Amino acid sequence: KKEDEAKPLGPVKKKNDYETAEEHFEDKDWQKAIVGYQNYREKNPKGTFYASATYKIGICFHELGMLTEAKAFFDELIDRYPKSKEASKAK
């Protein structure tokens, strides 16, 4: 029942996709992290954390043993952000 749900007190800052993905990443919930980072990338193609999200998707796929997928994200990162610290880690 909807009326039984607890109402938050005061304004609650809603986490963005990147922050949510970071929590899943910390919890090693790789699949949920990938979804969060992908959502962030789709909504923020020029976002501050785009390179980081791309790198972390690669890490998640690597952790899942999906090395071909991981490499695709690392390659994208190196192509798009060759001077970023994430790109040097991806190499």
Side-chain angles (χ1 to χ4, degrees):
K1 291 178 184 159
K2 287 243 187 285
E3 62 268 25
D4 293 339
E5 288 175 16
K7 299 276 188 290
L9 300 172
V12 174
K13 183 182 176 297
K14 187 182 180 303
K15 288 188 172 71
N16 67 31
D17 292 310
Y18 187 82
E19 291 167 330
T20 303
E22 287 284 272
E23 288 181 1
H24 293 309
F25 190 87
E26 291 296 313
D27 293 340
K28 297 183 174 20
D29 191 339
W30 309 122
Q31 284 157 327
K32 284 185 181 168
I34 290 167
V35 171
Y37 291 128
Q38 276 292 61
N39 288 339
Y40 172 82
R41 283 165 33 107
E42 286 167 20
K43 293 175 189 165
N44 305 280
K46 297 198 182 339
T48 311
F49 301 113
Y50 194 95
S52 177
T54 305
Y55 175 71
K56 288 189 171 172
I57 290 170
I59 295 291
C60 291
F61 277 123
H62 189 268
E63 290 292 334
L64 291 166
M66 300 169 75
L67 304 185
T68 304
E69 292 82 352
K71 186 179 183 321
F73 282 94
F74 292 147
D75 288 346
E76 176 190 340
L77 178 62
I78 293 162
D79 288 345
R80 286 186 68 169
Y81 303 96
K83 304 237 184 300
S84 70
K85 66 179 191 294
E86 290 86 4
S88 54
K89 285 192 263 181
K91 288 176 190 165

